[in-house]
Amino acid sequence: MTHNGSVPFVDLITMHRELEPELVNIFKSALESAGFIGGPMVEGFENDFAKFCDTTYCVGVNSGTDALRFALIAVGVQTGDIVVTVPHTFIATTEAISQSGATPAFVDIDAETYTMNPARLREYLEQQCAFDVAAKRCRHRASGKRVAAVVPVHLYGQMADMDPILELAARYNLAVVEDACQAHGAEYFSKKENRWRKAGSIGRAAAFSFYPGKNLGACGEGGAVTTSDAALARKVSVLRDHGQSKKYYHDLEGYNGRLDSIQAGILRVKLSRLALWNEQRRECARAYNELLAPMAASVTIPAQPDWSKPVYHLYVVRTDFRDDLQKHLTEAGIGTGIHYPIPVHLQAAYASFGWKRGDFPVTEAVADQVLSLPMFGGLKPEQQKTVADAIADFASFILRAETITPEFRTQ
Ligand SMILES: Cc1ncc(COP(=O)(O)O)c(C=O)c1O
């Protein structure tokens, strides 16, 4: 089992080297104008990103977490409300819910797409909630709290199945805020509307992260809210800037959550390449799918429903032998990641809520089995072959071990 050459999990250096002259120019023009906060670089990026997402507005903010928090507050989430999401996500989703004053509630994910299972959302609403038709309010029966919003997470660059989620949200008067922090450019085919729709354009608002490793990443922190609702965009832009509608006139208490202009300029340069980079990621995913097909008995490749055009922020396989496979790949010089090893409902931060193992079985099984393989725009075919060969080595070892020791699987 010898392997030549290592494969990084992600390569952010080569891409920035190629863009260096343009990125340095952004920095220079910020120095020359001293325009570090707001101004034309931020507005230019906001316009371009709104266009990219097929929305009317984009409001740049300081991070994806800010984007989610501001979007939730702007759609009307209030202290004491419940917001429903999935436990298979990055903790920022629930941090933003809590920081908007609400309590997170979870529904389990779909075993193939790893995103919100609309059937579980329906169960939650039908079995645990009651809808007051006159007040148009959805109430959680046990706690008496209002259920105000739902946050589907387009995880790994894969869209949640939005048609049934939107239908349920409309029936129960819930605001839909998309967590599109991993899904810049992903698309969903709405059967209801008979057209492809971009991530970020489907809910009342959506949140994007521009953390450096994202498909569209800043050289620092960054995020954005997209929406086609003018009042909502206005509210987010007030929230991100200390609640001021004009300088020193504070309509409400807000936050320091602005996107700085150097990051906005950098993001604008990168946005012009995003469609190409996403296509490269899709091509890499197709290549992995082919290379890994012979190992289907031990490694499950990502599902791609016919209604989804993912952007493969991550290429995530599933296997019963995840920890051993990760160790094997690490020894072969191949970088991997686990997104995410502990479901949010089992994190120590939420111990006081009393959630336990068994509450969300699909999420829990997935968290034990997922492994993210190297994935980035410039990933080369020979690097993918190295990864696939190392997995094939491992798979043949597993098959041999199972043949010799049938109980191997349960060890
Ligand atoms: C699904 C998801 N939601 C929210 C966030 C928060 O974004 P940020 O790190 O920019 O605050 C992230 C970032 O990793 C994410 O992956």
Side-chain angles (χ1 to χ4, degrees):
M1 283 198 215
T2 51
H3 300 279
N4 299 319
S6 61
V7 184
F9 178 57
V10 65
D11 175 10
L12 294 180
I13 295 172
T14 310
M15 169 232 263
H16 286 110
R17 211 173 270 145
E18 282 162 12
L19 296 175
E20 195 176 300
E22 283 174 80
L23 301 183
V24 169
N25 269 343
I26 295 294
F27 187 57
K28 275 191 185 150
S29 67
L31 287 183
E32 275 156 22
S33 64
F36 300 117
I37 307 289
M41 291 221 268
V42 174
E43 282 161 24
F45 170 69
E46 288 175 335
N47 289 337
D48 288 359
F49 195 62
K51 226 174 268 159
F52 178 84
C53 295
D54 292 340
T55 59
T56 316
Y57 307 98
C58 162
V59 184
V61 298
N62 192 248
S63 66
T65 314
D66 270 0
L68 274 170
R69 176 162 30 118
F70 299 162
L72 288 167
I73 296 170
V75 299
V77 170
Q78 290 173 2
T79 302
D81 285 343
I82 285 176
V83 174
V84 187
T85 189
V86 286
H88 186 56
T89 183
F90 182 56
I91 194 170
T93 313
T94 46
E95 283 174 335
I97 291 171
S98 302
Q99 290 161 10
S100 72
T103 303
F106 295 120
V107 295
D108 213 344
I109 55 167
D110 174 77
E112 296 218 322
T113 62
Y114 310 143
T115 60
M116 181 176 278
N117 185 333
R120 298 290 91 76
L121 177 63
R122 181 186 307 273
E123 268 168 28
Y124 175 82
L125 294 168
E126 287 178 355
Q127 295 171 13
Q128 298 195 41
C129 303
F131 188 65
D132 179 338
V133 179
K136 290 195 184 145
R137 275 168 79 97
C138 178
R139 190 176 54 80
H140 180 246
R141 283 207 205 98
S143 66
K145 289 173 188 250
R146 176 177 77 135
V147 184
V150 55
V151 181
V153 182
H154 305 320
L155 203 71
Y156 307 154
Q158 167 94 280
M159 301 286 295
D161 187 1
M162 293 302 290
D163 274 351
I165 293 172
L166 288 181
E167 195 190 310
L168 286 164
R171 194 180 316 156
Y172 286 86
N173 195 22
L174 312 178
V176 177
V177 173
E178 297 167 72
D179 183 337
C181 286
Q182 300 190 5
H184 319 68
E187 290 180 61
Y188 173 77
F189 187 80
S190 166
K191 284 206 182 78
K192 193 165 171 242
E193 299 198 8
N194 196 30
R195 66 181 172 113
W196 286 96
R197 300 193 65 182
K198 279 270 185 78
S201 71
I202 304 177
R204 277 198 59 205
F208 287 88
S209 164
F210 303 126
Y211 188 77
K214 303 293 193 216
N215 290 31
L216 178 62
C219 295
E221 301 283 358
V225 174
T226 54
T227 182
S228 290
D229 178 327
L232 217 150
R234 178 88 201 116
K235 181 96 190 265
V236 173
S237 61
V238 168
L239 280 167
R240 75 171 167 184
D241 194 16
H242 298 289
Q244 57 187 356
S245 49
K246 67 179 184 181
K247 205 161 175 68
Y248 302 134
Y249 287 77
H250 304 272
D251 299 344
L252 44 92
E253 229 182 40
Y255 300 84
N256 178 355
R258 298 171 297 240
L259 175 67
D260 79 65
S261 42
I262 292 174
Q263 297 306 335
I266 286 169
L267 286 165
R268 203 172 183 197
V269 167
K270 292 188 175 184
L271 180 57
S272 65
R273 273 83 164 182
L274 181 57
L276 172 72
W277 290 338
N278 281 344
E279 203 38 58
Q280 287 173 349
R281 284 174 183 266
R282 287 178 176 135
E283 191 45 56
C284 288
R286 279 192 283 272
Y288 268 140
N289 289 348
E290 269 178 35
L291 288 162
L292 299 178
M295 282 82 91
S298 19
V299 173
T300 305
I301 61 171
Q304 185 170 332
D306 55 5
W307 44 258
S308 174
K309 277 191 208 159
V311 287
Y312 291 98
H313 170 56
L314 296 167
Y315 183 90
V316 178
V317 296
R318 199 172 160 182
T319 170
D320 287 342
F321 313 101
R322 191 264 312 281
D323 293 345
D324 289 335
L325 175 58
Q326 183 175 42
K327 187 162 169 280
H328 176 80
L329 295 179
T330 305
E331 283 166 7
I334 294 165
T336 56
I338 297 176
H339 302 89
Y340 297 92
I342 314 275
V344 178
H345 69 285
L346 299 178
Q347 292 285 354
Y350 294 114
S352 64
F353 283 74
W355 287 303
K356 55 188 187 315
R357 201 158 241 286
D359 284 347
F360 303 101
V362 179
T363 289
E364 290 160 22
V366 165
D368 287 343
Q369 294 175 327
V370 283
L371 186 66
S372 309
L373 302 183
M375 171 56 83
F376 48 92
L379 185 63
K380 295 190 178 63
E382 56 274 22
Q383 291 177 306
Q384 292 195 268
K385 175 91 170 50
T386 301
V387 176
D389 286 349
I391 295 175
D393 274 352
F394 180 80
S396 64
F397 167 75
I398 291 294
L399 282 181
R400 281 200 307 276
E402 281 188 314
T403 315
I404 299 161
T405 323
E407 69 276 18
F408 182 85
R409 257 180 189 273
T410 55
Q411 282 179 351

